[in-house]
Amino acid sequence: MRPATLGLVAGCALAACVLPGRAEGPAFVDDAGRSVSVTVTPKRVMPAGPPADMLLFALAPDLMVGLVTPWNDAQRAVLAEPERDLAIVPRLTPEPLNSDLAAVRALKVDLVVDYGDVAPKYVAVADRVSATTGVPAVLLDGRLAATPAALRRLGALLERRAVAEDLARLAEATLTRLEPLATLPDDARVPVYLARGADGLDAVAAGTTLDEAIRFAGGRNVVARTGSPFRDLTPEAVAALAPRVVIVEDARAVAPDAPLRRALPATTAILVDEHDGFHWVENPPSVNRLIGAVWLAGRLHPGTEGLDDAAARDLARRFLRLRGS
């Protein structure tokens, strides 16, 4: 999880960035403890990375100058115009290039939003973005439990309070339903393996924001963390971890002739985390994880009231702004 960094950033060189156009009021104090002066109502907002893509898209797609990660064809097919045609912007995290910072200026951005780990390296990125471009940059806590607060804080900053409050209340209700599973002791949790990649061997390690949907759904990530949030494993190593449930984002990883599938016992439950091109459990670790936690809970602990496919689809309609919702 993101460690608190209030002491670290209390003396940041760039505490505020003043822009013309709105009467100066109290500075926005972001979740890293940085005091950021946003003196215009933001009309052009840029995400710093993929998690911010999803948070901003849920709240105010019309204010976004673009996406860090472009929509794929499956996603475009279920999104409404003009939201399916958002431009592509440079990724600013974990380390922006000089050309990326030049793009922030060229796009005439009013605000940069980062969402995820409130760690020193991301504090440094936000400070560098603001110092180099003159554009205020804020960091919001990306922990799953902090989702309602992040929605409300960003909604107030963007003056989208009504939609932010609706989504925040939905997130709160979802977290309340998940709480009995999120607080299960380890011996009551279902062993789960989660991985990215076409071979399903880029394993997501335990104990970060990346595997929070598993924990909130009453699962236990079988991959221990050894530093990096990812570990490269062999099919045999995965099988030795004895997961009861394997989650991959690419169906090729668990095709009948795939090495990973051949290494696993026939009793292993296989889940493919791909829903109209979106990943719900992870990638990116953003508001989509609420959907994934509900979807996964219905499989790890079936019969739990309010945690099933219908509830997951409703969350997807609301947070991913699917066409017709």
Side-chain angles (χ1 to χ4, degrees):
M1 304 290 186
R2 292 182 165 182
T5 54
L6 299 184
L8 173 69
V9 300
C12 281
L14 189 125
C17 176
V18 179
L19 299 177
R22 189 166 81 179
E24 191 168 355
F28 180 88
V29 179
D30 71 8
D31 290 331
R34 302 166 60 255
S35 180
V36 183
S37 182
V38 183
T39 57
V40 297
T41 300
K43 300 299 183 186
R44 295 179 61 78
V45 185
M46 180 172 173
D53 275 350
M54 304 307 295
L55 177 66
L56 279 167
F57 186 71
L59 277 178
D62 57 306
L63 301 184
M64 297 177 71
V65 297
L67 293 161
V68 172
T69 303
W71 301 132
N72 59 43
D73 290 342
Q75 292 167 335
R76 286 172 53 85
V78 296
L79 297 174
E81 295 187 52
E83 294 168 0
R84 69 178 67 152
D85 296 319
L86 285 166
I88 309 306
V89 298
R91 180 170 182 162
L92 302 178
T93 58
E95 182 60 41
L97 302 174
N98 289 334
S99 58
D100 299 334
L101 297 172
V104 175
R105 291 191 295 267
L107 288 166
K108 301 186 185 303
V109 173
D110 298 322
L111 178 69
V112 171
V113 175
D114 192 13
Y115 180 56
D117 286 337
V118 183
K121 65 180 179 180
Y122 296 112
V123 173
V125 169
D127 285 343
R128 183 182 172 201
V129 168
S130 290
T132 304
T133 68
V135 175
V138 299
L139 287 81
L140 295 174
D141 187 347
R143 291 174 301 157
L144 200 55
T147 303
L151 289 163
R152 288 188 173 107
R153 301 196 74 209
L154 185 57
L157 190 58
L158 302 180
E159 297 193 358
R160 295 296 173 86
R161 291 177 177 82
V163 64
E165 185 61 26
D166 285 346
L167 291 176
R169 290 184 180 184
L170 181 58
E172 284 174 337
T174 302
L175 290 168
T176 296
R177 290 198 301 273
L178 288 165
E179 185 174 6
L181 300 180
T183 55
L184 283 174
D186 279 354
D187 60 2
R189 292 177 173 272
V190 177
V192 176
Y193 172 78
L194 171 65
R196 295 181 178 183
D199 60 4
L201 299 175
D202 188 11
V204 175
T208 74
T209 55
L210 303 181
D211 78 332
E212 282 193 301
I214 293 174
R215 300 201 297 277
F216 276 71
R220 174 178 59 81
N221 190 342
V222 297
V223 179
R225 186 173 181 183
T226 57
S228 169
F230 296 99
R231 289 180 58 188
D232 292 327
L233 298 180
T234 65
E236 294 72 24
V238 176
L241 294 171
R244 283 172 47 193
V245 176
V246 165
I247 310 169
V248 296
E249 65 179 34
D250 191 322
R252 292 174 294 178
V254 288
D257 60 344
L260 176 60
R261 187 67 189 89
R262 292 201 308 269
L264 295 169
T267 54
T268 306
I270 303 294
L271 300 178
V272 178
D273 180 28
E274 194 284 321
H275 318 268
D276 295 319
F278 291 96
H279 304 300
W280 290 352
V281 175
E282 195 271 323
N283 196 13
S286 188
V287 294
N288 49 302
R289 293 168 301 158
L290 278 176
I291 312 167
V294 170
W295 174 73
L296 187 56
R299 284 155 174 77
L300 301 185
H301 301 275
T304 306
E305 185 177 357
L307 301 175
D308 53 25
D309 283 3
R313 286 193 297 269
D314 182 61
L315 287 170
R317 285 193 294 270
R318 298 285 298 278
F319 280 95
L320 304 179
R321 307 179 65 90
L322 304 185
R323 186 170 55 185
S325 61

